[in-house]
Amino acid sequence: MTRGNQREMDRAKAAKKQAALNKSKSKESNTTLAKRREADAEILRAKQKKNEEIKKATQDTAKGK
């Protein structure tokens, strides 16, 4: 085994890289994640409603002319 040391060094490097990746991942619980998704969905619904009202108002204005 002439490459034994190189393999060990590569394994250590890969383990260090994997540890850094795992550390950077968010650690949100499922309930927190669900609450955040629901809040985001509510914000998007409000934006869509506002845009629909603007679109309807512009169409009404265009019909009136």
Side-chain angles (χ1 to χ4, degrees):
M1 268 209 250
T2 58
R3 294 178 41 120
N5 187 38
Q6 184 177 357
R7 287 186 185 132
E8 290 300 319
M9 297 296 284
D10 286 343
R11 286 184 184 136
K13 183 179 175 183
K16 184 177 178 181
K17 184 177 179 182
Q18 189 65 34
L21 287 174
N22 287 339
K23 185 177 181 182
S24 67
K25 289 184 181 178
S26 72
K27 293 183 166 101
E28 287 185 295
S29 66
N30 287 336
T31 55
T32 306
L33 184 61
K35 286 179 184 178
R36 185 174 53 82
R37 284 184 179 167
E38 185 60 36
D40 291 346
E42 186 62 35
I43 291 168
L44 288 176
R45 282 188 219 108
K47 285 182 181 180
Q48 287 175 341
K49 184 177 179 182
K50 181 180 174 185
N51 287 335
E52 287 174 2
E53 289 173 356
I54 292 171
K55 186 176 178 181
K56 185 176 180 181
T58 57
Q59 286 177 348
D60 291 344
T61 306
K63 287 180 183 178
K65 289 185 177 182

